[in-house]
Amino acid sequence: MTSKDPKHAFVWIWLPTETKPVVAGRLDAAGDMLRFRYGKSYLERDNLISLYTPELPLTTETIPPPRGLSIPGCIRDGSPDAWGRRVVFNRLFGSKGEAIKVHQLTELTYLLESGSDRIGALDFQRSPTNYEPRSAQNVPLSELVKAAEIVEKGAPLSPDLAAALYHGTAIGGARPKALIEDDERKYVAKFSSSTDIYSVVKAEFLGMSLGRAIGLNVAAVHLCKTMKKDVLMIERFDRVKVKSGWQRRAMVSALTLFKLDEMMARYASYEELAEIIRHSFTDASATLKELYRRLIFNLLIGNTDDHARNHAAFWDGQWLTLTPAYDLCPQPRTGNEASQAMLIHGEDRSSRLMVALAAAECFRFRAEEARAEILRQIQVISENWDGLCEEAEVNETDQNLFRTRQFLNPGIFEGLDDREILQAARKFRELGS
């Protein structure tokens, strides 16, 4: 931290059913650590909720981060990830950015310099009394795509393009993206990247659409084109349009539920998340089954990027509720062996259905129910494959790549002795033969 770095930021929150934010408290820098204190006026409100009780309970005391963390997880959930940080850096430093990277921006800087329409119900301001949203008017998708390409190249953006892309800087993830709004809905728009060796955008469309076909609770998506490039439009589920404006739904990531940071994310576990669900979630029984079905689906489509930030829950001040699934995107693999980002059963994270079957009881699935679920999902994927590939205009080369390397990869069936499941998978892989 230098003398020019901000020393504090005020945390504003959209309370449940409200369309205007109120100040909840202040973050203060103490070395590399950020501590939080609720404001007196906030604690006197009738409709207040905690930002997240396990980390920041309602109290007049200053609250340090959980042990081992430098910032409360529920605050870090509202901070930009890799892509947003690149855009912020570009906006602040332009072409000088590469030389300045030796000076790491502080977390407070990223909170205060990123856009205000961030995931969840929080925003960060320099003032405790005057809320000034950092956002931009809607601009054509073509302009956003152009801006994203410039950022990827490391070149400085013009003021107009910088303002357009800046709006979406607080959205998580590493790929190029922006925020789009129409009269009734808000979207996260994901773009192709210059480093893509196949259509990653179409692969994610297939993953998300097949998840919905299977019956998972998945964010709604559709594909569009601009400047001859595919754009995946993902409807935001943390925003609700009402007559008086937009309501925002508070959210926390599974990483926050685990009280871990990115450096410790490898210890995140599906079984531990199941335990948290049993004690802290609404409709725990149905939620456990939904999570297990998502685990199976991640294995079937080759989504090994199922890390703890790609699972989240709504927070209403007392209870957690699993959000719709997002980032269901098949990942490239060169062989049959792979590992999931989260542990599946004990210390085993191997991308194999046998490992998921060993964990079934933890999610209230009997062994036969779990096997039947695997077979059902394979059948739904097979039945919907041709139609969705046609809708997305997936070319034959990418279809063959997806079907032979990512979706139903032979490696996930290793050790599985179930003739019906293996035959169904073989039939899918032979579709394009």
Side-chain angles (χ1 to χ4, degrees), residues 124 126 135 141 286 362 423:
F124 307 93
R126 288 179 168 80
S135 57
L141 267 177
C362 184
Q423 284 182 340

Side-chain angles (χ1 to χ4, degrees), residues 172-187:
R175 291 187 59 79
K177 60 181 64 67
L179 295 179
I180 304 291
E181 179 180 336
D182 65 18
D183 291 337
E184 299 297 329
R185 294 178 177 85
K186 291 194 176 191
Y187 298 93

Side-chain angles (χ1 to χ4, degrees), residues 224-273:
C224 62
K225 279 185 179 289
T226 184
M227 296 176 64
K228 298 182 179 180
K229 291 198 172 184
D230 296 302
V231 179
L232 181 65
M233 304 290 285
I234 305 151
E235 187 173 342
R236 294 184 64 174
F237 46 74
D238 62 335
R239 297 291 185 266
V240 179
K241 183 65 179 294
V242 296
K243 287 184 178 180
S244 57
W246 289 96
Q247 296 173 355
R248 302 192 180 192
R249 299 192 68 180
M251 285 172 51
V252 289
S253 70
L255 198 64
T256 293
L257 303 183
F258 293 134
K259 298 182 180 178
L260 299 174
D261 62 11
E262 282 80 6
M263 299 297 293
M264 304 295 286
R266 64 187 181 278
Y267 296 111
S269 159
Y270 276 100
E271 289 181 318
E272 185 179 349
L273 182 53

Side-chain angles (χ1 to χ4, degrees), residues 300 333 335-336 404-413 429:
L300 291 177
R333 65 169 73 184
N336 289 340
T404 57
R405 302 306 308 158
Q406 293 166 314
F407 291 83
L408 276 58
N409 183 283
I412 68 173
F413 299 97
R429 288 195 295 272

Side-chain angles (χ1 to χ4, degrees), residues 11-15 18 20-25 42 45 47 121 123 128 131:
V11 181
W12 290 66
I13 184 172
W14 278 253
L15 290 166
E18 299 294 328
K20 301 292 183 183
V22 297
V23 66
Y42 185 76
R45 298 184 67 89
N47 62 340
D123 193 24
Y131 180 77

